[in-house]
Amino acid sequence: MKNITLVLGASLNPNRYSNIAIKRLLDKNYPVVALGQRKGTVLGVAIDDEKKDYENIDTVTLYLNPERQKDFYDYVISLKPRRVIFNPGAENEEFVKLLESNNIIAEVACTLVLISIDQYF
């Protein structure tokens, strides 16, 4: 699988944007993996509750507030994604600088909007 998106901060709650993002990515046939606080599944996508060494991650889309992101800085960089999307509420200048210093694109955007206007990939 190529161009995999990791939804970081994935939720089982169907009203959460991370949950909606998983569904919209699947609607467009984009491969998705998910990491959240609780295990479960969203339309067949397993939400892991432990950091896994995922391969071929193209995009990490963040649904964590800046304080919670700190525990994931090294992890996200270790995945070597092409880009990280900071969804509304996830903006974090410190993490942006870290990513850019590791040649990872940091994009402040909304995954749902990018998908809806066919600008995700």
Side-chain angles (χ1 to χ4, degrees):
M1 271 199 308
K2 293 270 189 229
N3 291 341
I4 298 170
T5 297
L6 168 60
V7 177
L8 185 51
S11 173
L12 293 169
N13 180 338
N15 298 317
R16 303 294 292 193
Y17 289 117
S18 61
N19 185 291
I20 297 166
I22 292 170
K23 293 171 183 168
R24 298 268 169 82
L25 288 162
L26 290 172
D27 284 347
K28 293 284 187 178
N29 295 313
Y30 296 136
V32 182
V33 292
L35 180 59
Q37 285 188 293
R38 284 184 219 51
K39 280 185 182 231
T41 58
V42 176
L43 294 182
V45 173
I47 297 177
D48 295 312
D49 63 354
E50 293 177 21
K51 297 172 186 167
K52 290 194 171 174
D53 194 14
Y54 299 109
E55 302 213 352
N56 300 316
I57 297 296
D58 176 80
T59 301
V60 175
T61 183
L62 284 176
Y63 290 94
L64 296 173
N65 69 48
E67 193 57 39
R68 295 224 22 248
Q69 290 171 25
K70 290 179 181 176
D71 293 335
F72 294 92
Y73 287 1
D74 291 339
Y75 172 68
V76 169
I77 291 166
S78 77
L79 296 174
K80 297 180 176 64
R82 178 179 61 86
R83 69 175 172 171
V84 174
I85 298 173
F86 290 81
N87 287 282
E91 301 90 341
N92 180 346
E93 193 59 38
E94 179 182 55
F95 198 12
V96 166
K97 288 178 181 162
L98 254 175
L99 292 166
E100 289 174 345
S101 71
N102 283 277
N103 299 310
I104 297 168
I105 298 165
E107 198 173 329
V108 177
C110 176
T111 294
L112 297 176
V113 170
L114 293 173
I115 293 168
S116 73
I117 60 172
D118 286 325
Q119 297 295 311
Y120 190 74
F121 277 118

